[in-house]
Amino acid sequence: MSTDALISGIRSWLSDRGLDPDDPNLADTPARVARAWNELTSGYGHDPAELLSRTFPVDRADGLIAVTGISFTSVCAHHLMPFTGTATIAYLPVAGAPVVGLSKLPRLLDMFAHRLQVQEQLTWQITDALDTHLKTEGSACLVRAEHGCMTQRGIRKQGASMVTTSLTGRFATDAELRDQLWEMHRGG
């Protein structure tokens, strides 16, 4: 949908509720909503292969690499309501393989979060991208989020959060590695 069509739709929606879209308090609202939706769904124009293609050689990288406490906002594909939370993203590079820069893991999360999303899918997309585009012995993504469709409407359970995990390779098979990951995720 073009930005003009979205603006027109928001104007119609306001009118359908008996509001004057030309009221000084609402006159710029349709354009602001269009800008917000363009920002919230900006992840469609980005490719994880390109993001993860820039790597750095290291003398030794045979341990867990993780970024914890990564905040994000996404939009639920079912209700078009926001959900917000934090993620821990980790991977275990093949010994001697190059690694990506620190900012790439949060950028990967934002790339997928800035699409209409389902949290379970978001979690899996991150590990799939890491395993597909890096040389890993496994990857992990742990996400905790509060969903507007559950806290602001329907059942209205404030403070309830959903936790999803995706564990591949050694993260799926090595209990000690998983324990280390959960400890990092909890901030311990």
mmCIF file of all heavy atoms in Angstrom, residues 124-177:
data_model
loop_
_atom_site.group_PDB
_atom_site.id
_atom_site.type_symbol
_atom_site.label_atom_id
_atom_site.label_comp_id
_atom_site.label_asym_id
_atom_site.label_seq_id
_atom_site.Cartn_x
_atom_site.Cartn_y
_atom_site.Cartn_z
ATOM 1 N N TRP A 124 12.812 -18.202 15.650
ATOM 2 C CA TRP A 124 13.386 -19.176 14.720
ATOM 3 C C TRP A 124 14.123 -18.487 13.569
ATOM 4 O O TRP A 124 15.178 -18.957 13.138
ATOM 5 C CB TRP A 124 12.281 -20.085 14.170
ATOM 6 C CG TRP A 124 12.760 -20.960 13.065
ATOM 7 C CD1 TRP A 124 13.407 -22.145 13.190
ATOM 8 C CD2 TRP A 124 12.679 -20.690 11.666
ATOM 9 N NE1 TRP A 124 13.729 -22.649 11.953
ATOM 10 C CE2 TRP A 124 13.291 -21.771 10.995
ATOM 11 C CE3 TRP A 124 12.147 -19.644 10.907
ATOM 12 C CZ2 TRP A 124 13.383 -21.828 9.613
ATOM 13 C CZ3 TRP A 124 12.248 -19.712 9.535
ATOM 14 C CH2 TRP A 124 12.855 -20.788 8.907
ATOM 15 N N GLN A 125 13.584 -17.392 13.050
ATOM 16 C CA GLN A 125 14.223 -16.703 11.916
ATOM 17 C C GLN A 125 15.646 -16.273 12.261
ATOM 18 O O GLN A 125 16.539 -16.312 11.412
ATOM 19 C CB GLN A 125 13.401 -15.477 11.501
ATOM 20 C CG GLN A 125 12.133 -15.825 10.768
ATOM 21 C CD GLN A 125 11.240 -14.618 10.538
ATOM 22 O OE1 GLN A 125 11.199 -13.690 11.349
ATOM 23 N NE2 GLN A 125 10.529 -14.624 9.425
ATOM 24 N N ILE A 126 15.861 -15.863 13.492
ATOM 25 C CA ILE A 126 17.186 -15.398 13.901
ATOM 26 C C ILE A 126 18.191 -16.549 13.898
ATOM 27 O O ILE A 126 19.278 -16.431 13.331
ATOM 28 C CB ILE A 126 17.103 -14.694 15.267
ATOM 29 C CG1 ILE A 126 16.335 -13.368 15.096
ATOM 30 C CG2 ILE A 126 18.493 -14.464 15.851
ATOM 31 C CD1 ILE A 126 15.886 -12.733 16.363
ATOM 32 N N THR A 127 17.842 -17.681 14.508
ATOM 33 C CA THR A 127 18.783 -18.805 14.512
ATOM 34 C C THR A 127 18.987 -19.364 13.114
ATOM 35 O O THR A 127 20.102 -19.744 12.756
ATOM 36 C CB THR A 127 18.332 -19.929 15.471
ATOM 37 O OG1 THR A 127 17.019 -20.359 15.121
ATOM 38 C CG2 THR A 127 18.370 -19.450 16.917
ATOM 39 N N ASP A 128 17.948 -19.383 12.316
ATOM 40 C CA ASP A 128 18.087 -19.870 10.944
ATOM 41 C C ASP A 128 19.054 -18.991 10.154
ATOM 42 O O ASP A 128 19.911 -19.499 9.423
ATOM 43 C CB ASP A 128 16.716 -19.914 10.257
ATOM 44 C CG ASP A 128 16.801 -20.462 8.859
ATOM 45 O OD1 ASP A 128 17.248 -21.628 8.687
ATOM 46 O OD2 ASP A 128 16.432 -19.730 7.907
ATOM 47 N N ALA A 129 18.939 -17.681 10.311
ATOM 48 C CA ALA A 129 19.846 -16.768 9.596
ATOM 49 C C ALA A 129 21.287 -16.961 10.054
ATOM 50 O O ALA A 129 22.206 -16.987 9.232
ATOM 51 C CB ALA A 129 19.406 -15.320 9.807
ATOM 52 N N LEU A 130 21.505 -17.096 11.350
ATOM 53 C CA LEU A 130 22.868 -17.300 11.857
ATOM 54 C C LEU A 130 23.467 -18.594 11.313
ATOM 55 O O LEU A 130 24.604 -18.613 10.841
ATOM 56 C CB LEU A 130 22.873 -17.312 13.390
ATOM 57 C CG LEU A 130 22.577 -15.984 14.072
ATOM 58 C CD1 LEU A 130 22.395 -16.176 15.575
ATOM 59 C CD2 LEU A 130 23.647 -14.950 13.783
ATOM 60 N N ASP A 131 22.691 -19.674 11.360
ATOM 61 C CA ASP A 131 23.202 -20.963 10.890
ATOM 62 C C ASP A 131 23.388 -20.997 9.381
ATOM 63 O O ASP A 131 24.286 -21.666 8.884
ATOM 64 C CB ASP A 131 22.267 -22.097 11.321
ATOM 65 C CG ASP A 131 22.295 -22.341 12.821
ATOM 66 O OD1 ASP A 131 23.265 -21.930 13.483
ATOM 67 O OD2 ASP A 131 21.331 -22.940 13.334
ATOM 68 N N THR A 132 22.560 -20.267 8.666
ATOM 69 C CA THR A 132 22.644 -20.251 7.203
ATOM 70 C C THR A 132 23.818 -19.412 6.709
ATOM 71 O O THR A 132 24.490 -19.790 5.757
ATOM 72 C CB THR A 132 21.327 -19.719 6.604
ATOM 73 O OG1 THR A 132 20.263 -20.591 6.991
ATOM 74 C CG2 THR A 132 21.392 -19.633 5.086
ATOM 75 N N HIS A 133 24.079 -18.277 7.365
ATOM 76 C CA HIS A 133 25.035 -17.307 6.817
ATOM 77 C C HIS A 133 26.368 -17.225 7.561
ATOM 78 O O HIS A 133 27.260 -16.490 7.121
ATOM 79 C CB HIS A 133 24.380 -15.933 6.743
ATOM 80 C CG HIS A 133 23.121 -15.953 5.942
ATOM 81 N ND1 HIS A 133 23.104 -16.189 4.585
ATOM 82 C CD2 HIS A 133 21.830 -15.798 6.305
ATOM 83 C CE1 HIS A 133 21.849 -16.171 4.145
ATOM 84 N NE2 HIS A 133 21.063 -15.936 5.178
ATOM 85 N N LEU A 134 26.498 -17.942 8.681
ATOM 86 C CA LEU A 134 27.770 -17.990 9.396
ATOM 87 C C LEU A 134 28.188 -19.455 9.543
ATOM 88 O O LEU A 134 27.356 -20.349 9.448
ATOM 89 C CB LEU A 134 27.642 -17.352 10.788
ATOM 90 C CG LEU A 134 27.258 -15.880 10.848
ATOM 91 C CD1 LEU A 134 27.109 -15.441 12.305
ATOM 92 C CD2 LEU A 134 28.287 -15.017 10.134
ATOM 93 N N LYS A 135 29.447 -19.673 9.825
ATOM 94 C CA LYS A 135 29.928 -21.028 10.103
ATOM 95 C C LYS A 135 29.768 -21.251 11.602
ATOM 96 O O LYS A 135 30.586 -20.787 12.400
ATOM 97 C CB LYS A 135 31.381 -21.177 9.662
ATOM 98 C CG LYS A 135 31.551 -21.080 8.164
ATOM 99 C CD LYS A 135 33.006 -21.169 7.783
ATOM 100 C CE LYS A 135 33.116 -20.993 6.270
ATOM 101 N NZ LYS A 135 34.486 -20.749 5.845
ATOM 102 N N THR A 136 28.710 -21.956 11.986
ATOM 103 C CA THR A 136 28.422 -22.151 13.405
ATOM 104 C C THR A 136 28.360 -23.634 13.743
ATOM 105 O O THR A 136 28.120 -24.480 12.886
ATOM 106 C CB THR A 136 27.069 -21.529 13.809
ATOM 107 O OG1 THR A 136 26.009 -22.348 13.339
ATOM 108 C CG2 THR A 136 26.924 -20.109 13.299
ATOM 109 N N GLU A 137 28.536 -23.885 15.031
ATOM 110 C CA GLU A 137 28.250 -25.204 15.588
ATOM 111 C C GLU A 137 26.882 -25.176 16.251
ATOM 112 O O GLU A 137 26.483 -26.126 16.903
ATOM 113 C CB GLU A 137 29.324 -25.597 16.595
ATOM 114 C CG GLU A 137 30.668 -25.888 15.965
ATOM 115 C CD GLU A 137 31.664 -26.424 16.982
ATOM 116 O OE1 GLU A 137 31.247 -27.085 17.962
ATOM 117 O OE2 GLU A 137 32.857 -26.181 16.790
ATOM 118 N N GLY A 138 26.183 -24.092 16.096
ATOM 119 C CA GLY A 138 24.844 -23.934 16.652
ATOM 120 C C GLY A 138 24.578 -22.485 16.991
ATOM 121 O O GLY A 138 25.497 -21.664 17.089
ATOM 122 N N SER A 139 23.301 -22.180 17.139
ATOM 123 C CA SER A 139 22.904 -20.825 17.503
ATOM 124 C C SER A 139 21.716 -20.905 18.451
ATOM 125 O O SER A 139 21.065 -21.948 18.572
ATOM 126 C CB SER A 139 22.572 -19.990 16.262
ATOM 127 O OG SER A 139 21.463 -20.539 15.593
ATOM 128 N N ALA A 140 21.439 -19.778 19.108
ATOM 129 C CA ALA A 140 20.346 -19.732 20.071
ATOM 130 C C ALA A 140 19.726 -18.350 20.077
ATOM 131 O O ALA A 140 20.400 -17.342 19.879
ATOM 132 C CB ALA A 140 20.864 -20.070 21.472
ATOM 133 N N CYS A 141 18.428 -18.329 20.285
ATOM 134 C CA CYS A 141 17.709 -17.071 20.467
ATOM 135 C C CYS A 141 16.654 -17.302 21.537
ATOM 136 O O CYS A 141 15.863 -18.245 21.453
ATOM 137 C CB CYS A 141 17.067 -16.620 19.154
ATOM 138 S SG CYS A 141 16.237 -15.023 19.297
ATOM 139 N N LEU A 142 16.688 -16.467 22.564
ATOM 140 C CA LEU A 142 15.728 -16.509 23.663
ATOM 141 C C LEU A 142 15.008 -15.163 23.668
ATOM 142 O O LEU A 142 15.666 -14.122 23.732
ATOM 143 C CB LEU A 142 16.433 -16.721 25.000
ATOM 144 C CG LEU A 142 17.497 -17.823 25.060
ATOM 145 C CD1 LEU A 142 18.210 -17.789 26.403
ATOM 146 C CD2 LEU A 142 16.895 -19.173 24.804
ATOM 147 N N VAL A 143 13.697 -15.189 23.590
ATOM 148 C CA VAL A 143 12.917 -13.946 23.519
ATOM 149 C C VAL A 143 11.859 -13.950 24.610
ATOM 150 O O VAL A 143 11.142 -14.943 24.803
ATOM 151 C CB VAL A 143 12.246 -13.798 22.130
ATOM 152 C CG1 VAL A 143 11.345 -12.559 22.096
ATOM 153 C CG2 VAL A 143 13.287 -13.728 21.023
ATOM 154 N N ARG A 144 11.756 -12.830 25.316
ATOM 155 C CA ARG A 144 10.693 -12.602 26.292
ATOM 156 C C ARG A 144 10.006 -11.307 25.885
ATOM 157 O O ARG A 144 10.663 -10.272 25.740
ATOM 158 C CB ARG A 144 11.259 -12.467 27.705
ATOM 159 C CG ARG A 144 10.195 -12.152 28.764
ATOM 160 C CD ARG A 144 10.794 -11.974 30.149
ATOM 161 N NE ARG A 144 11.509 -13.145 30.605
ATOM 162 C CZ ARG A 144 10.939 -14.197 31.214
ATOM 163 N NH1 ARG A 144 9.642 -14.198 31.432
ATOM 164 N NH2 ARG A 144 11.670 -15.219 31.606
ATOM 165 N N ALA A 145 8.674 -11.371 25.699
ATOM 166 C CA ALA A 145 7.965 -10.179 25.237
ATOM 167 C C ALA A 145 6.556 -10.100 25.813
ATOM 168 O O ALA A 145 5.921 -11.122 26.084
ATOM 169 C CB ALA A 145 7.897 -10.177 23.709
ATOM 170 N N GLU A 146 6.098 -8.871 25.985
ATOM 171 C CA GLU A 146 4.708 -8.592 26.343
ATOM 172 C C GLU A 146 3.975 -8.187 25.081
ATOM 173 O O GLU A 146 4.461 -7.345 24.319
ATOM 174 C CB GLU A 146 4.617 -7.470 27.371
ATOM 175 C CG GLU A 146 5.018 -7.879 28.751
ATOM 176 C CD GLU A 146 4.629 -6.853 29.806
ATOM 177 O OE1 GLU A 146 3.689 -6.049 29.570
ATOM 178 O OE2 GLU A 146 5.269 -6.854 30.863
ATOM 179 N N HIS A 147 2.806 -8.772 24.881
ATOM 180 C CA HIS A 147 2.030 -8.549 23.664
ATOM 181 C C HIS A 147 0.826 -7.666 23.944
ATOM 182 O O HIS A 147 0.020 -7.967 24.829
ATOM 183 C CB HIS A 147 1.562 -9.894 23.104
ATOM 184 C CG HIS A 147 2.687 -10.707 22.553
ATOM 185 N ND1 HIS A 147 2.838 -10.938 21.213
ATOM 186 C CD2 HIS A 147 3.728 -11.317 23.158
ATOM 187 C CE1 HIS A 147 3.922 -11.665 21.013
ATOM 188 N NE2 HIS A 147 4.482 -11.914 22.183
ATOM 189 N N GLY A 148 0.722 -6.579 23.170
ATOM 190 C CA GLY A 148 -0.413 -5.679 23.309
ATOM 191 C C GLY A 148 -1.740 -6.381 23.105
ATOM 192 O O GLY A 148 -2.738 -6.023 23.730
ATOM 193 N N CYS A 149 -1.770 -7.415 22.258
ATOM 194 C CA CYS A 149 -3.027 -8.127 22.006
ATOM 195 C C CYS A 149 -3.476 -8.908 23.242
ATOM 196 O O CYS A 149 -4.627 -9.319 23.322
ATOM 197 C CB CYS A 149 -2.903 -9.040 20.786
ATOM 198 S SG CYS A 149 -1.559 -10.228 20.864
ATOM 199 N N MET A 150 -2.587 -9.095 24.209
ATOM 200 C CA MET A 150 -2.958 -9.778 25.439
ATOM 201 C C MET A 150 -3.030 -8.828 26.636
ATOM 202 O O MET A 150 -3.776 -9.066 27.580
ATOM 203 C CB MET A 150 -1.957 -10.887 25.752
ATOM 204 C CG MET A 150 -2.453 -11.828 26.826
ATOM 205 S SD MET A 150 -1.507 -13.328 26.875
ATOM 206 C CE MET A 150 -0.751 -13.155 28.463
ATOM 207 N N THR A 151 -2.283 -7.739 26.609
ATOM 208 C CA THR A 151 -2.266 -6.829 27.757
ATOM 209 C C THR A 151 -3.217 -5.641 27.587
ATOM 210 O O THR A 151 -3.639 -5.063 28.585
ATOM 211 C CB THR A 151 -0.847 -6.284 28.013
ATOM 212 O OG1 THR A 151 -0.402 -5.547 26.876
ATOM 213 C CG2 THR A 151 0.134 -7.412 28.313
ATOM 214 N N GLN A 152 -3.555 -5.266 26.369
ATOM 215 C CA GLN A 152 -4.352 -4.056 26.131
ATOM 216 C C GLN A 152 -5.758 -4.340 25.625
ATOM 217 O O GLN A 152 -6.569 -3.435 25.520
ATOM 218 C CB GLN A 152 -3.627 -3.156 25.133
ATOM 219 C CG GLN A 152 -2.281 -2.700 25.630
ATOM 220 C CD GLN A 152 -1.475 -2.011 24.552
ATOM 221 O OE1 GLN A 152 -1.994 -1.611 23.525
ATOM 222 N NE2 GLN A 152 -0.177 -1.873 24.781
ATOM 223 N N ARG A 153 -6.052 -5.591 25.277
ATOM 224 C CA ARG A 153 -7.373 -5.971 24.792
ATOM 225 C C ARG A 153 -7.619 -7.411 25.200
ATOM 226 O O ARG A 153 -6.765 -8.037 25.804
ATOM 227 C CB ARG A 153 -7.467 -5.805 23.264
ATOM 228 C CG ARG A 153 -6.426 -6.633 22.508
ATOM 229 C CD ARG A 153 -6.759 -6.900 21.049
ATOM 230 N NE ARG A 153 -7.986 -7.593 20.833
ATOM 231 C CZ ARG A 153 -8.157 -8.911 20.978
ATOM 232 N NH1 ARG A 153 -7.162 -9.681 21.344
ATOM 233 N NH2 ARG A 153 -9.341 -9.467 20.756
ATOM 234 N N GLY A 154 -8.761 -7.939 24.856
ATOM 235 C CA GLY A 154 -9.043 -9.342 25.132
ATOM 236 C C GLY A 154 -8.936 -9.669 26.609
ATOM 237 O O GLY A 154 -9.590 -9.072 27.445
ATOM 238 N N ILE A 155 -8.038 -10.555 26.962
ATOM 239 C CA ILE A 155 -7.896 -11.033 28.340
ATOM 240 C C ILE A 155 -7.298 -9.989 29.276
ATOM 241 O O ILE A 155 -7.486 -10.043 30.482
ATOM 242 C CB ILE A 155 -7.099 -12.355 28.369
ATOM 243 C CG1 ILE A 155 -7.270 -13.046 29.703
ATOM 244 C CG2 ILE A 155 -5.657 -12.135 27.988
ATOM 245 C CD1 ILE A 155 -6.828 -14.485 29.713
ATOM 246 N N ARG A 156 -6.545 -9.026 28.747
ATOM 247 C CA ARG A 156 -5.977 -7.893 29.499
ATOM 248 C C ARG A 156 -5.204 -8.322 30.744
ATOM 249 O O ARG A 156 -5.515 -7.921 31.864
ATOM 250 C CB ARG A 156 -7.053 -6.888 29.856
ATOM 251 C CG ARG A 156 -7.635 -6.250 28.625
ATOM 252 C CD ARG A 156 -8.591 -5.158 28.910
ATOM 253 N NE ARG A 156 -9.087 -4.693 27.620
ATOM 254 C CZ ARG A 156 -10.095 -3.903 27.462
ATOM 255 N NH1 ARG A 156 -10.727 -3.435 28.504
ATOM 256 N NH2 ARG A 156 -10.481 -3.529 26.264
ATOM 257 N N LYS A 157 -4.173 -9.081 30.542
ATOM 258 C CA LYS A 157 -3.333 -9.559 31.637
ATOM 259 C C LYS A 157 -2.011 -8.810 31.626
ATOM 260 O O LYS A 157 -1.046 -9.203 30.969
ATOM 261 C CB LYS A 157 -3.094 -11.075 31.526
ATOM 262 C CG LYS A 157 -4.348 -11.893 31.674
ATOM 263 C CD LYS A 157 -4.962 -11.671 33.046
ATOM 264 C CE LYS A 157 -6.248 -12.442 33.204
ATOM 265 N NZ LYS A 157 -6.986 -12.061 34.394
ATOM 266 N N GLN A 158 -1.974 -7.690 32.349
ATOM 267 C CA GLN A 158 -0.769 -6.868 32.447
ATOM 268 C C GLN A 158 0.365 -7.667 33.073
ATOM 269 O O GLN A 158 0.151 -8.407 34.025
ATOM 270 C CB GLN A 158 -1.035 -5.622 33.284
ATOM 271 C CG GLN A 158 -2.086 -4.699 32.709
ATOM 272 C CD GLN A 158 -1.702 -4.128 31.369
ATOM 273 O OE1 GLN A 158 -0.557 -3.756 31.156
ATOM 274 N NE2 GLN A 158 -2.647 -4.060 30.458
ATOM 275 N N GLY A 159 1.560 -7.505 32.538
ATOM 276 C CA GLY A 159 2.732 -8.152 33.089
ATOM 277 C C GLY A 159 2.966 -9.576 32.602
ATOM 278 O O GLY A 159 4.017 -10.145 32.857
ATOM 279 N N ALA A 160 1.995 -10.160 31.924
ATOM 280 C CA ALA A 160 2.187 -11.512 31.385
ATOM 281 C C ALA A 160 3.095 -11.426 30.169
ATOM 282 O O ALA A 160 2.911 -10.570 29.304
ATOM 283 C CB ALA A 160 0.846 -12.128 30.999
ATOM 284 N N SER A 161 4.083 -12.291 30.129
ATOM 285 C CA SER A 161 4.990 -12.268 28.993
ATOM 286 C C SER A 161 5.105 -13.665 28.401
ATOM 287 O O SER A 161 4.883 -14.669 29.081
ATOM 288 C CB SER A 161 6.360 -11.721 29.376
ATOM 289 O OG SER A 161 6.943 -12.491 30.395
ATOM 290 N N MET A 162 5.463 -13.691 27.153
ATOM 291 C CA MET A 162 5.663 -14.942 26.428
ATOM 292 C C MET A 162 7.164 -15.152 26.268
ATOM 293 O O MET A 162 7.893 -14.211 25.965
ATOM 294 C CB MET A 162 4.997 -14.848 25.057
ATOM 295 C CG MET A 162 5.167 -16.058 24.194
ATOM 296 S SD MET A 162 4.320 -15.767 22.622
ATOM 297 C CE MET A 162 4.420 -17.392 21.920
ATOM 298 N N VAL A 163 7.613 -16.382 26.468
ATOM 299 C CA VAL A 163 9.014 -16.728 26.287
ATOM 300 C C VAL A 163 9.097 -17.768 25.182
ATOM 301 O O VAL A 163 8.365 -18.762 25.205
ATOM 302 C CB VAL A 163 9.627 -17.292 27.585
ATOM 303 C CG1 VAL A 163 11.072 -17.736 27.355
ATOM 304 C CG2 VAL A 163 9.555 -16.261 28.700
ATOM 305 N N THR A 164 9.958 -17.513 24.205
ATOM 306 C CA THR A 164 10.194 -18.475 23.133
ATOM 307 C C THR A 164 11.688 -18.702 23.009
ATOM 308 O O THR A 164 12.491 -17.822 23.307
ATOM 309 C CB THR A 164 9.631 -17.991 21.785
ATOM 310 O OG1 THR A 164 10.130 -16.678 21.516
ATOM 311 C CG2 THR A 164 8.109 -17.958 21.797
ATOM 312 N N THR A 165 12.034 -19.903 22.570
ATOM 313 C CA THR A 165 13.440 -20.243 22.373
ATOM 314 C C THR A 165 13.605 -20.964 21.051
ATOM 315 O O THR A 165 12.697 -21.662 20.583
ATOM 316 C CB THR A 165 13.968 -21.164 23.494
ATOM 317 O OG1 THR A 165 13.258 -22.404 23.450
ATOM 318 C CG2 THR A 165 13.814 -20.532 24.856
ATOM 319 N N SER A 166 14.756 -20.779 20.461
ATOM 320 C CA SER A 166 15.173 -21.575 19.311
ATOM 321 C C SER A 166 16.629 -21.946 19.560
ATOM 322 O O SER A 166 17.480 -21.069 19.737
ATOM 323 C CB SER A 166 15.019 -20.788 18.008
ATOM 324 O OG SER A 166 15.451 -21.584 16.910
ATOM 325 N N LEU A 167 16.888 -23.231 19.612
ATOM 326 C CA LEU A 167 18.223 -23.745 19.901
ATOM 327 C C LEU A 167 18.612 -24.710 18.792
ATOM 328 O O LEU A 167 17.870 -25.650 18.510
ATOM 329 C CB LEU A 167 18.242 -24.481 21.241
ATOM 330 C CG LEU A 167 17.709 -23.712 22.449
ATOM 331 C CD1 LEU A 167 17.557 -24.639 23.638
ATOM 332 C CD2 LEU A 167 18.625 -22.550 22.790
ATOM 333 N N THR A 168 19.762 -24.482 18.177
ATOM 334 C CA THR A 168 20.210 -25.375 17.113
ATOM 335 C C THR A 168 21.600 -25.926 17.451
ATOM 336 O O THR A 168 22.307 -25.393 18.301
ATOM 337 C CB THR A 168 20.277 -24.652 15.752
ATOM 338 O OG1 THR A 168 21.375 -23.727 15.761
ATOM 339 C CG2 THR A 168 18.982 -23.924 15.424
ATOM 340 N N GLY A 169 21.973 -26.978 16.754
ATOM 341 C CA GLY A 169 23.314 -27.541 16.901
ATOM 342 C C GLY A 169 23.625 -27.899 18.338
ATOM 343 O O GLY A 169 22.815 -28.515 19.038
ATOM 344 N N ARG A 170 24.800 -27.486 18.808
ATOM 345 C CA ARG A 170 25.249 -27.830 20.157
ATOM 346 C C ARG A 170 24.378 -27.232 21.249
ATOM 347 O O ARG A 170 24.284 -27.798 22.346
ATOM 348 C CB ARG A 170 26.714 -27.431 20.358
ATOM 349 C CG ARG A 170 27.653 -28.396 19.637
ATOM 350 C CD ARG A 170 29.104 -28.227 19.984
ATOM 351 N NE ARG A 170 29.373 -28.003 21.392
ATOM 352 C CZ ARG A 170 30.429 -27.312 21.830
ATOM 353 N NH1 ARG A 170 31.302 -26.794 20.972
ATOM 354 N NH2 ARG A 170 30.620 -27.137 23.121
ATOM 355 N N PHE A 171 23.714 -26.124 20.972
ATOM 356 C CA PHE A 171 22.804 -25.563 21.979
ATOM 357 C C PHE A 171 21.649 -26.528 22.253
ATOM 358 O O PHE A 171 21.135 -26.590 23.356
ATOM 359 C CB PHE A 171 22.257 -24.201 21.543
ATOM 360 C CG PHE A 171 23.269 -23.096 21.617
ATOM 361 C CD1 PHE A 171 23.914 -22.655 20.471
ATOM 362 C CD2 PHE A 171 23.587 -22.504 22.817
ATOM 363 C CE1 PHE A 171 24.852 -21.641 20.531
ATOM 364 C CE2 PHE A 171 24.527 -21.482 22.896
ATOM 365 C CZ PHE A 171 25.161 -21.051 21.750
ATOM 366 N N ALA A 172 21.253 -27.272 21.245
ATOM 367 C CA ALA A 172 20.155 -28.230 21.401
ATOM 368 C C ALA A 172 20.604 -29.520 22.085
ATOM 369 O O ALA A 172 19.783 -30.197 22.710
ATOM 370 C CB ALA A 172 19.547 -28.546 20.033
ATOM 371 N N THR A 173 21.886 -29.846 21.986
ATOM 372 C CA THR A 173 22.352 -31.142 22.485
ATOM 373 C C THR A 173 23.225 -31.068 23.729
ATOM 374 O O THR A 173 23.400 -32.076 24.404
ATOM 375 C CB THR A 173 23.147 -31.882 21.386
ATOM 376 O OG1 THR A 173 24.288 -31.101 21.009
ATOM 377 C CG2 THR A 173 22.271 -32.135 20.160
ATOM 378 N N ASP A 174 23.763 -29.916 24.061
ATOM 379 C CA ASP A 174 24.736 -29.783 25.156
ATOM 380 C C ASP A 174 24.083 -29.045 26.335
ATOM 381 O O ASP A 174 23.936 -27.810 26.311
ATOM 382 C CB ASP A 174 25.964 -29.024 24.643
ATOM 383 C CG ASP A 174 27.087 -28.913 25.661
ATOM 384 O OD1 ASP A 174 26.826 -28.941 26.878
ATOM 385 O OD2 ASP A 174 28.244 -28.755 25.210
ATOM 386 N N ALA A 175 23.719 -29.789 27.367
ATOM 387 C CA ALA A 175 23.026 -29.206 28.521
ATOM 388 C C ALA A 175 23.881 -28.156 29.231
ATOM 389 O O ALA A 175 23.360 -27.135 29.695
ATOM 390 C CB ALA A 175 22.622 -30.307 29.500
ATOM 391 N N GLU A 176 25.177 -28.372 29.319
ATOM 392 C CA GLU A 176 26.062 -27.414 29.978
ATOM 393 C C GLU A 176 26.088 -26.081 29.224
ATOM 394 O O GLU A 176 26.052 -25.006 29.827
ATOM 395 C CB GLU A 176 27.476 -28.004 30.066
ATOM 396 C CG GLU A 176 28.419 -27.176 30.909
ATOM 397 C CD GLU A 176 29.777 -27.854 31.056
ATOM 398 O OE1 GLU A 176 29.819 -29.070 31.308
ATOM 399 O OE2 GLU A 176 30.784 -27.126 30.923
ATOM 400 N N LEU A 177 26.136 -26.146 27.901
ATOM 401 C CA LEU A 177 26.123 -24.943 27.076
ATOM 402 C C LEU A 177 24.797 -24.200 27.239
ATOM 403 O O LEU A 177 24.764 -22.975 27.349
ATOM 404 C CB LEU A 177 26.379 -25.312 25.612
ATOM 405 C CG LEU A 177 26.609 -24.180 24.629
ATOM 406 C CD1 LEU A 177 27.818 -23.335 25.005
ATOM 407 C CD2 LEU A 177 26.777 -24.755 23.221
#
